[in-house]
Amino acid sequence: MLDATQEALAASGFHALNMDRIAAGAGVGKTTVYRRWGSPAALVADLLDDMAEQSLPAADTGGLAGDLRANAALVLETLTDPRMSPVFRAVIAAAACDEECARALGGFYRTRLAEWAPVAVRAEARGELPPGTDPLELLRAVSAPLYYRFAVTHEELTPADAERAVTATLAAAAAGAFVPDGP
């Protein structure tokens, strides 16, 4: 079911999701789909939960810069992947107008940020980050410029964009920008 949902999102977007077509694509009866999920938003919520759990684990390159580059590369790869790009575009659009999708998307990102938070903890222990650096804010700073270009301005994403996001994040982190009540 989740594969069929992902296919439908990639092909037609959220607003064209059709539970009957998804059921047929998955080879199950439509009553099963309606009983289990009830709405396209519920299907998307389960898909996002599954995607968060299936995502690659956080990197451990031995240094903050390498770990953040790995994070930015993963975001870049996901947002430029021919299959995943339209899925994320559809889910982000759906989240803008559907509260259930918005909660699901928020849950996806909370899971992913929690997976990557140890990057900052390790970096702080190595003295690469000021004490008290907020790991989630650090990670958001890496991915936010990439998502902005992807979802808001619809610009083509490049490795240079990912590197610029990492460089800016490292500079801001060194200045204490991600320490609560910092500069």
Side-chain angles (χ1 to χ4, degrees), residues 15-35:
H15 295 294
L17 277 184
N18 178 296
M19 301 279 277
D20 295 350
R21 223 173 323 150
I22 291 170
V28 300
K30 64 182 178 181
T31 55
T32 301
V33 176
Y34 282 101
R35 191 174 327 121

Side-chain angles (χ1 to χ4, degrees), residues 52 91 124 135-137 153 159 167 175:
V91 170
E124 188 176 326
L136 303 183
E137 290 303 319
T153 63
T167 300

Side-chain angles (χ1 to χ4, degrees), residues 2 5 14 17 19 33-49 98 100-101 103-104:
L2 298 181
T5 301
F14 176 77
L17 277 184
M19 301 279 277
V33 176
Y34 282 101
R35 191 174 327 121
R36 168 71 172 89
W37 286 280
S39 72
L43 270 168
V44 169
D46 275 2
L47 173 64
L48 286 168
D49 286 345
D98 184 285
E100 189 172 2
C101 284
R103 281 191 303 275

Side-chain angles (χ1 to χ4, degrees), residues 2-160:
L2 298 181
D3 288 341
T5 301
Q6 192 176 69
E7 279 295 322
L9 281 171
S12 306
F14 176 77
H15 295 294
L17 277 184
N18 178 296
M19 301 279 277
D20 295 350
R21 223 173 323 150
I22 291 170
V28 300
K30 64 182 178 181
T31 55
T32 301
V33 176
Y34 282 101
R35 191 174 327 121
R36 168 71 172 89
W37 286 280
S39 72
L43 270 168
V44 169
D46 275 2
L47 173 64
L48 286 168
D49 286 345
D50 184 65
M51 288 169 51
E53 294 303 320
Q54 299 301 321
S55 293
L56 294 174
D60 186 355
T61 66
L64 179 61
D67 291 350
L68 294 183
R69 283 187 180 92
N71 180 268
L74 180 60
V75 171
L76 178 69
E77 180 181 323
T78 301
L79 297 180
T80 58
D81 180 84
R83 178 179 168 91
M84 294 311 297
S85 177
V87 169
F88 272 92
R89 196 171 302 284
V91 170
I92 290 168
C97 58
D98 184 285
E99 188 57 38
E100 189 172 2
C101 284
R103 281 191 303 275
L105 187 60
F108 171 84
Y109 288 114
R110 279 189 298 281
T111 299
R112 295 309 301 147
L113 287 170
E115 171 71 27
W116 281 82
V119 163
V121 174
R122 290 190 304 263
E124 188 176 326
R126 290 188 300 261
E128 295 178 282
L129 287 172
T133 295
D134 183 329
L136 303 183
E137 290 303 319
L138 175 80
L139 294 164
R140 287 180 184 120
V142 172
S143 60
L146 302 174
Y147 276 98
Y148 179 83
R149 288 173 182 266
F150 173 77
V152 177
T153 63
H154 294 255
E155 296 174 59
E156 183 179 340
L157 291 170
T158 68

